[in-house]
Amino acid sequence: MNHTFKKAAAATLCAVFALPCLAACGDTPAQKTLDGTYSLVSALLDGKNVTKDFKIYTATFSEEGTVRVVVNYMGALSTRNSTYSFDGTAVKENYDGEVYDYTLSGDQLTTVYRDYEDEIQITLEKEADQNEVLPVDFESILFGSDMSDSKFYNYCPAILRETTDEGEVMHFWYCTNRDDGVMMDYIGYRKGVKQENGKWLFGDEKIVLSPTEGTWDARHTCDPAVVKGSFKFQNRQYSYLMAYLGCVTDDYQKNETGIAVANSPEGPWVKVNTINPIVPWYDDGDYETEEQKYQDMKGTSSIYWGTGMPALVSIDRSGEVLMFYQSTLRGTGIRRYDFSDLDNPELKEDFTVSISSRGIVNSVGQTCRIGIPDFAYDSESKRFYVCGVTNEKNPPDQTLTRVNSHSMVAYLENIENMSQLCTLLQSGNYTWKMAGYVGPNDTGFERNHNPGIVRDAYGYLPDTSEIRVVVSTGHNSWDNENIFTYRLHGAVIPAPRRSE
């Protein structure tokens, strides 16, 4: 098949990624192992360099005898999660009844990629060891790969801070992509431990929630919010509740909000699929009416975004929570749930309202709405804090971005307890006071968006003297997609004095 025709066919046909080994199946497994990621350095077809036809070609080996192979050739993406054997020179990858051969020489692996009758000679080289992780200051990029030579993103964090046998720790959940350059959202988790010098040492990333094929979140799982409590599901008790966004669309429309539970921060997390999505894309509106709105938007610059980007605060440190979420129908919605029994969740007092943005202004004093918020209650100062984006781009875009330059922190005063907070939020009769902003001068990045507040496990502020915020940074210009510049950066805003 000629090379031009293959480009047209690649979008619909899956290529066979490597030449199957014809050796007998009964070989004795080798005792040696590999560790690390090998990435494409060259691809030759009949002596012609076709490396640029591969967007991705990586093989990541573990010492446990597994290998993950990701290939994107001419737009056709495929992934193999395989086992392997290694005798010191030859590698045999075993996947779905087939065996694929590699030869190791120094730091390079060679193999053959078969595309129809063509055999492409592949050379992979081991990536430099990136395992050494150094402690970092909170007011810096906290973790993540080097954006100059990789295409990963980290944004929209949920952060819980607590004291354990290891000392002071921060649990981070955030939106990320699992495969370099592939924009498919997963929820990642890392734990940071505070060191004696005050810096934070973060562990390796663990993917704790993934899209589930054939369900409401088959395309993306992202934007986590986590709170501790007591939640029963299918006769088992759980200690942590996560709310998150999921969708099935490629164009990010009709997002929905679901929940999952776990007994430890790193999981395993169990999706509560008997009631998911807990907030459907049309919110509490009439399905037919909202579907017509969606249909009317087709072919225009508008989209029907749906619901998602949730935030959670515990009301009783047990099963009752306030769940905040973004919504096409109502802006930022608020629901009060009793999730003590997730087989029979209760929406309390028909509590579904929209948040008021009265008093919210951006960094140059212009009125703006509360968007993509997170929340924390300070029981000592009797304040309820919100952080969110400010709907401004200062400096302006150089290449198209969909995120803001500044995040803000604001608060409500004289909130004696969570019961009073619920009553106040339901009434809509309140005015926010501004506490501060996180912008380019604070982080060095032109974009600072999708923020989260560092809270305790129940959504309370750990330190009444300050509000620690983690924003998702990014650039306003980038050769590739701006999303690949998203990283998580800490910032500290002093709590305003009572007289303010």
Side-chain angles (χ1 to χ4, degrees):
M1 180 178 292
N2 68 59
H3 201 55
T4 302
F5 180 74
K6 285 186 297 182
K7 290 188 176 182
T12 54
L13 297 176
C14 293
V16 179
F17 290 122
L19 181 63
C21 173
L22 301 179
C25 297
D27 294 346
T28 302
Q31 300 302 309
K32 297 183 178 181
T33 61
L34 292 170
D35 184 31
T37 297
Y38 291 74
S39 298
L40 180 69
V41 292
S42 71
L44 299 176
L45 174 61
D46 297 330
K48 179 182 177 182
N49 190 331
V50 294
T51 307
K52 290 184 178 180
D53 291 336
F54 290 87
K55 186 175 181 181
I56 303 170
Y57 201 134
T58 61
T60 301
F61 294 86
S62 77
E63 293 179 344
E64 286 73 35
T66 62
V67 56
R68 178 179 173 82
V69 181
V70 180
V71 181
N72 188 327
Y73 177 58
M74 292 184 172
L77 174 69
S78 186
T79 301
R80 298 196 303 269
N81 292 302
S82 312
T83 60
Y84 73 92
S85 61
F86 176 49
D87 65 6
T89 301
V91 180
K92 295 183 183 294
E93 176 199 351
N94 299 276
Y95 176 75
D96 198 25
E98 294 185 336
V99 182
Y100 302 90
D101 274 346
Y102 305 77
T103 300
L104 179 68
S105 178
D107 285 336
Q108 291 190 336
L109 281 173
T110 56
T111 187
V112 175
Y113 175 98
R114 175 172 286 173
D115 181 43
Y116 301 99
E117 72 274 20
D118 289 335
E119 294 183 0
I120 303 175
Q121 305 300 313
I122 298 295
T123 301
L124 308 173
E125 188 169 87
K126 189 174 183 180
E127 295 180 357
D129 186 7
Q130 302 293 327
N131 291 328
E132 184 181 9
V133 180
L134 300 175
V136 297
D137 291 317
F138 178 76
E139 293 180 89
S140 68
I141 295 293
L142 298 173
F143 50 77
S145 59
D146 184 348
M147 67 183 68
S148 65
D149 60 6
S150 67
K151 292 183 178 180
F152 288 96
Y153 50 81
N154 304 151
Y155 72 99
C156 206
I159 315 106
L160 301 186
R161 183 170 163 178
E162 64 179 350
T163 300
T164 70
D165 293 340
E166 296 177 87
E168 193 172 342
V169 303
M170 283 193 294
H171 301 287
F172 267 78
W173 299 264
Y174 53 95
C175 184
T176 188
N177 56 325
R178 188 180 62 184
D179 300 314
D180 194 337
V182 180
M183 283 193 284
M184 186 171 185
D185 291 345
Y186 294 76
I187 293 176
Y189 166 82
R190 291 182 195 251
K191 180 173 71 175
V193 180
K194 194 173 185 179
Q195 307 298 292
E196 290 184 2
N197 61 3
K199 294 177 181 281
W200 292 88
L201 182 63
F202 285 89
D204 293 337
E205 177 180 273
K206 179 180 181 181
I207 299 297
V208 294
L209 210 66
S210 304
T212 301
E213 186 176 354
T215 70
W216 68 278
D217 65 1
R219 183 65 177 87
H220 293 291
T221 55
C222 57
D223 304 342
V226 179
V227 72
K228 194 173 184 179
S230 181
F231 314 100
K232 187 175 72 172
F233 177 52
Q234 295 182 341
N235 296 318
R236 184 177 180 185
Q237 209 70 31
Y238 292 91
S239 300
Y240 293 89
L241 178 82
M242 176 188 290
Y244 69 99
L245 177 152
C247 72
V248 297
T249 58
D250 290 327
D251 58 1
Y252 308 102
Q253 299 198 58
K254 290 188 172 182
N255 297 293
E256 302 186 284
T257 306
I259 54 176
V261 288
N263 272 317
S264 66
E266 66 271 19
W269 287 89
V270 179
K271 296 179 181 180
V272 187
N273 284 331
T274 53
I275 58 175
N276 280 340
I278 189 74
V279 187
W281 64 269
Y282 53 90
D283 205 340
D284 61 338
D286 175 69
Y287 173 85
E288 296 296 336
T289 300
E290 300 308 308
E291 176 65 24
Q292 187 59 54
K293 291 181 185 178
Y294 167 73
Q295 295 295 335
D296 292 342
M297 289 177 184
K298 287 186 175 181
T300 73
S301 59
S302 299
I303 65 171
Y304 199 112
W305 189 82
T307 72
M309 296 181 176
L312 295 171
V313 175
S314 177
I315 293 175
D316 61 355
R317 298 177 184 261
S318 183
E320 277 199 53
V321 301
L322 281 175
M323 185 170 74
F324 305 82
Y325 60 97
Q326 294 293 275
S327 167
T328 294
L329 188 62
R330 59 172 60 256
T332 297
I334 314 171
R335 292 188 174 196
R336 180 179 179 180
Y337 279 107
D338 186 343
F339 284 139
S340 300
D341 180 3
L342 285 166
D343 295 309
N344 298 283
E346 182 183 356
L347 181 60
K348 300 288 286 185
E349 302 169 2
D350 195 26
F351 192 114
T352 302
V353 297
S354 296
I355 203 165
S356 170
S357 296
R358 189 180 300 111
I360 301 294
V361 295
N362 65 19
S363 69
V364 293
Q366 298 171 330
T367 300
C368 66
R369 294 179 299 171
I370 292 174
I372 316 179
D374 196 16
F375 300 86
Y377 178 59
D378 181 8
S379 58
E380 183 173 334
S381 69
K382 308 299 182 185
R383 287 175 172 171
F384 187 62
Y385 285 96
V386 61
C387 69
V389 295
T390 60
N391 304 309
E392 61 183 306
K393 292 186 177 183
N394 181 23
D397 280 348
Q398 294 184 28
T399 58
L400 177 64
T401 70
R402 295 178 174 84
V403 292
N404 293 178
S405 58
H406 291 71
S407 291
M408 63 80 190
V409 173
Y411 60 99
L412 300 174
E413 285 194 306
N414 303 316
I415 308 298
E416 293 296 328
N417 50 51
M418 296 302 293
S419 177
Q420 181 187 350
L421 173 65
C422 290
T423 301
L424 186 65
L425 292 174
Q426 194 169 20
S427 74
N429 186 25
Y430 50 89
T431 300
W432 298 92
K433 294 184 177 181
M434 303 307 300
Y437 302 89
V438 182
N441 291 337
D442 303 294
T443 66
F445 285 80
E446 301 88 2
R447 297 291 176 261
N448 301 276
H449 58 98
N450 287 79
I453 300 179
V454 179
R455 305 124 34 97
D456 75 5
Y458 299 100
Y460 286 61
L461 204 65
D463 186 344
T464 194
S465 68
E466 63 182 19
I467 308 97
R468 293 198 165 218
V469 177
V470 177
V471 299
S472 310
T473 58
H475 287 309
N476 66 340
S477 65
W478 200 248
D479 292 339
N480 301 304
E481 292 282 346
N482 294 85
I483 192 173
F484 297 123
T485 69
Y486 293 0
R487 296 295 184 271
L488 297 177
H489 194 296
V492 179
I493 295 178
R497 295 180 180 179
R498 293 295 297 178
S499 60
E500 296 179 46

